Amino acid sequence: MLENIKKSYQANNTQFIITNNEGVVIDSDNTLFTIEINSFLSNIHPFFENFVDIIGQDNLNFSCVHLKTNNTEVICDISTSFLSEDKYLIIITDFSKHYQSFQSLAQSRNETAIEKEVLAINNQVLKEKENFKNKFIANFSHEIKSPITSIIAFSELLNKSKLKDEQREYLDVIRSSSQHLKSIINDILDISKIETGKLTILIERFNFKNLINQVIAEYSVKCSDKKLEFVYEIDSNLPEYIESDKTRIRQIIKNLLDNALKFTKEGSISLYIKALYKRAGKLTFSIEIKDTGIGIEESEQERIFNRFNRVESLKNVEGVGLGLAIVREMVNLLNGNLTLKSKPNLGSSFTLEFKAKYPLVELDTEKKKKISKAKTLKKNQTKHRLLLVDDNNDHQLSIFKILAQSNQYFLDIVNNGFEAIESLKKNHYDLILMDFKMPLLNGLDTTKAIKNLSDKRKSSIPVILVTGNLIDSNLLQQKDVLFLDIIEKPFEEETLLNAIERAVK
């Protein structure tokens, strides 16, 4: 049985031909090609044209020969064998499937190798693009924040001067536009930080109720300006201090309130903050922001959290479509939860839920009295001497003007890190305001040099970094060692004064 099976398979893919020494076919089984007896072997295919010259050599082998005659095409192996003085056996074996399979495998391997090479090239290109983007954003951040800082600072100073009504109207436009530009730039930089993993969360203890009261004060005015009612309800069971990221919590609340203001023309905006769980130093709290604005179609509700996406019917509304995307990213970084309920023309409700820790013992009454007393004595304090290290003339002038109005500080100004160290050798300062990006010696290296001074009195002078550069995780890790505080440009006048006041107490 096995012999019959072998013969059957062999008969299907192998042709045997007997020729004489002149290449004339004596016999053929015609399995693959039909060839007449007494015809020439070359009639099968031009491949056999020169066989007469070499056929006398016994046991010749040819591999992967492509033969095509009439409608038959095969990839085969050909071998010859000597039978007698003038007879030769030619064996043609069809290995088409084998060679085609091998070719496909080789091609697949080549394609895989090529794909890997292309992928490596693409990854390199993407890496180079990413590096270029990061460098561009870092420079863009510093270069564009610097003029905006000056515009905002001088606008505030000008606002305190005597102006005609028409001049004040122009100034209001400048202030509003610069604040809007500041908001857009901060959004773009925040998205960049998120993409590169450089938006870090800094967990620290802060006065939660103070933060809420500041937000309420700010948006009571903003709502009043738009003739909207501002409703708020703060749970009395909330602790005064919590441990979380103060900056991100404030930014999330403000982004959502700004969003509500943008899309509410009449009615009210509401802020509700509740303690959902409070026990043994652990707190779960919710923040709900409601408005009576235009509302959002259900089909749009997921899309509006994507970057640069906005409600289709509101393309003419100012903004670049990043506020809600940033909110969701920050909520995720804080391991919080965000839900949205909205109906067209009936307003929207954004609800946030966060977990935090809180101190079991609040500041006692005596400490609060001391703090209150320190504030009342502020006006009678001796003037403090500050050193500003900044190479930008506009920044120097704006900070000088801000401090001059407070009438509580003397200010020395130098242009770079080397001048700062030389000035420290001759004078003592209560605080140093340090720019980051400067020629010769940047703010980070200058601060390290100051901290390494042998004079402990000078090396312990607190330093506040005032920067327009992106603040990455590396800089944040060095914050507690090198800097008392970090202020990002563009900053508000109040932000700068409050930070200085805290530093010199």
Side-chain angles (χ1 to χ4, degrees):
M1 181 178 178
L2 186 58
E3 287 299 320
N4 292 333
I5 293 173
K6 289 170 66 177
K7 288 178 181 178
S8 174
Y9 272 94
Q10 189 179 41
N12 287 331
N13 75 334
T14 304
Q15 182 166 345
F16 296 91
I17 303 172
I18 298 175
T19 71
N20 61 18
N21 54 9
E22 293 180 354
V24 176
V25 176
I26 299 172
D27 195 7
S28 173
D29 61 7
N30 292 340
T31 302
L32 303 176
F33 305 101
T34 300
I35 184 169
E36 296 180 0
I37 305 302
N38 295 324
S39 65
F40 284 98
L41 185 63
S42 58
N43 289 350
I44 297 177
H45 193 274
F47 175 79
F48 296 102
E49 287 282 354
N50 299 319
F51 246 54
V52 175
D53 298 330
I54 61 174
I55 202 167
Q57 302 178 36
D58 195 15
N59 297 323
L60 294 174
N61 294 287
F62 303 90
S63 300
C64 197
V65 180
H66 289 249
L67 299 179
K68 182 178 182 181
T69 177
N70 299 327
N71 295 323
T72 305
E73 182 177 4
V74 295
I75 306 172
C76 58
D77 286 0
I78 301 173
S79 62
T80 68
S81 181
F82 177 74
L83 294 179
S84 61
E85 186 175 344
D86 61 348
K87 291 181 181 178
Y88 298 90
L89 175 65
I90 299 174
I91 304 170
I92 306 174
T93 305
D94 181 7
F95 283 127
S96 298
K97 290 184 179 179
H98 165 74
Y99 282 120
Q100 286 169 354
S101 175
F102 178 81
Q103 186 177 11
S104 297
L105 181 60
Q107 183 177 352
S108 176
R109 287 176 176 172
N110 288 337
E111 288 175 353
T112 301
I114 291 170
E115 286 174 359
K116 286 183 179 178
E117 185 67 22
V118 170
L119 184 62
I121 292 171
N122 288 342
N123 285 339
Q124 181 62 29
V125 171
L126 287 173
K127 187 176 180 181
E128 289 174 359
K129 284 183 177 180
E130 184 68 20
N131 290 336
F132 172 80
K133 185 187 78 171
N134 291 339
K135 288 180 181 178
F136 171 79
I137 288 176
N139 290 328
F140 165 87
S141 169
H142 181 269
E143 295 305 323
I144 203 165
K145 279 186 173 183
S146 296
I148 292 175
T149 300
S150 298
I151 292 170
I152 291 175
F154 282 106
S155 294
E156 293 301 323
L157 291 170
L158 191 57
N159 187 50
K160 295 175 182 178
S161 64
K162 293 181 179 180
L163 298 172
K164 296 178 181 179
D165 291 342
E166 186 178 15
Q167 291 173 326
R168 191 164 297 282
E169 286 178 8
Y170 295 158
L171 178 60
D172 288 342
V173 173
I174 294 172
R175 294 174 68 198
S176 175
S177 297
S178 60
Q179 289 294 341
H180 178 53
L181 183 57
K182 171 188 171 184
S183 175
I184 291 174
I185 291 167
N186 285 337
D187 283 349
I188 292 172
L189 295 176
D190 281 338
I191 283 294
S192 175
K193 290 178 188 177
I194 290 168
E195 286 181 347
T196 57
K198 292 180 179 179
L199 186 72
T200 53
I201 296 300
L202 180 63
I203 302 298
E204 59 183 350
R205 183 179 298 182
F206 68 93
N207 194 315
F208 187 37
K209 289 189 174 178
N210 274 357
L211 184 151
I212 296 169
N213 290 333
Q214 289 167 8
V215 169
I216 290 172
E218 179 181 350
Y219 284 88
S220 294
V221 174
K222 288 185 175 182
C223 286
S224 177
D225 290 342
K226 284 196 69 175
K227 295 181 171 50
L228 297 171
E229 183 183 5
F230 184 51
V231 180
Y232 57 89
E233 186 176 319
I234 312 303
D235 192 340
S236 60
N237 199 34
L238 284 167
E240 184 173 3
Y241 287 83
I242 66 170
E243 294 179 11
S244 187
D245 190 314
K246 176 183 179 180
T247 302
R248 304 307 168 200
I249 292 288
R250 178 194 285 112
Q251 190 172 358
I252 288 168
I253 297 173
K254 291 183 67 171
N255 273 21
L256 289 175
L257 285 171
D258 285 339
N259 187 73
L261 274 169
K262 187 186 298 184
F263 298 111
T264 306
K265 291 184 177 180
E266 56 183 24
S268 64
I269 291 173
S270 304
L271 171 65
Y272 304 105
I273 304 180
K274 299 177 183 178
L276 304 177
Y277 174 88
K278 179 186 175 187
R279 186 175 181 183
K282 293 181 179 180
L283 171 72
T284 301
F285 65 97
S286 67
I287 301 170
E288 183 182 9
I289 294 167
K290 297 177 68 174
D291 63 64
T292 58
I294 60 172
I296 308 165
E297 292 279 359
E298 188 174 351
S299 60
E300 299 269 8
Q301 289 182 16
E302 179 59 29
R303 199 174 64 82
I304 61 169
F305 290 101
N306 296 332
R307 298 168 193 179
F308 301 105
N309 276 324
R310 306 168 67 189
V311 176
E312 287 295 329
S313 59
L314 298 170
K315 293 296 186 182
N316 60 331
V317 179
E318 66 178 23
V320 293
L322 286 175
L324 292 179
I326 291 170
V327 166
R328 183 159 70 174
E329 295 284 2
M330 289 184 177
V331 169
N332 290 338
L333 285 171
L334 287 167
N335 297 317
N337 186 51
L338 169 63
T339 56
L340 164 63
K341 294 180 181 178
S342 184
K343 289 184 179 181
N345 303 316
L346 295 177
S348 303
S349 171
F350 293 85
T351 303
L352 309 158
E353 200 171 293
F354 296 105
K355 295 182 184 297
K357 293 182 179 179
Y358 68 93
L360 293 175
V361 180
E362 299 282 6
L363 288 172
D364 57 42
T365 305
E366 187 60 33
K367 285 184 179 178
K368 290 182 179 179
K369 287 181 179 179
K370 288 180 181 179
I371 292 173
S372 177
K373 185 178 180 182
K375 287 182 178 179
T376 59
L377 293 174
K378 181 176 62 176
K379 293 183 179 179
N380 299 321
Q381 289 176 345
T382 305
K383 284 189 176 182
H384 296 281
R385 190 167 187 177
L386 277 55
L387 175 65
L388 172 62
V389 190
D390 196 320
D391 65 316
N392 186 292
N393 291 334
D394 290 339
H395 294 171
Q396 294 174 358
L397 182 57
S398 63
I399 290 177
F400 173 78
K401 290 288 188 181
I402 290 170
L403 296 180
Q405 285 194 51
S406 70
N407 199 31
Q408 296 184 46
Y409 307 103
F410 295 110
L411 182 68
D412 288 350
I413 301 174
V414 295
N415 293 300
N416 59 62
F418 291 114
E419 290 181 9
I421 294 169
E422 286 302 311
S423 186
L424 270 173
K425 292 178 181 178
K426 302 172 185 176
N427 308 291
H428 178 74
Y429 297 99
D430 298 298
L431 176 67
I432 301 171
L433 299 175
M434 183 74 67
D435 187 28
F436 185 88
K437 189 175 180 181
M438 296 181 293
L440 303 178
L441 195 65
N442 67 36
L444 185 61
D445 292 335
T446 302
T447 305
K448 288 178 179 178
I450 292 171
K451 296 301 179 183
N452 288 326
L453 291 173
S454 57
D455 187 335
K456 297 299 181 183
R457 185 165 174 260
K458 295 183 184 295
S459 65
S460 62
I461 297 172
V463 179
I464 292 179
L465 184 67
V466 184
T467 177
N469 283 61
L470 290 176
I471 298 175
D472 57 21
S473 57
N474 179 51
L475 188 57
L476 281 176
Q477 288 173 0
Q478 301 181 71
K479 174 182 179 291
D480 292 338
V481 177
L482 298 175
F483 306 109
L484 181 68
D485 203 351
I486 297 177
I487 298 177
E488 288 191 72
K489 298 176 184 177
F491 52 79
E492 305 289 344
E493 178 182 324
E494 184 182 358
T495 302
L496 178 67
L497 290 173
N498 287 341
I500 293 174
E501 184 181 337
R502 288 194 301 270
V504 297
K505 277 183 180 179

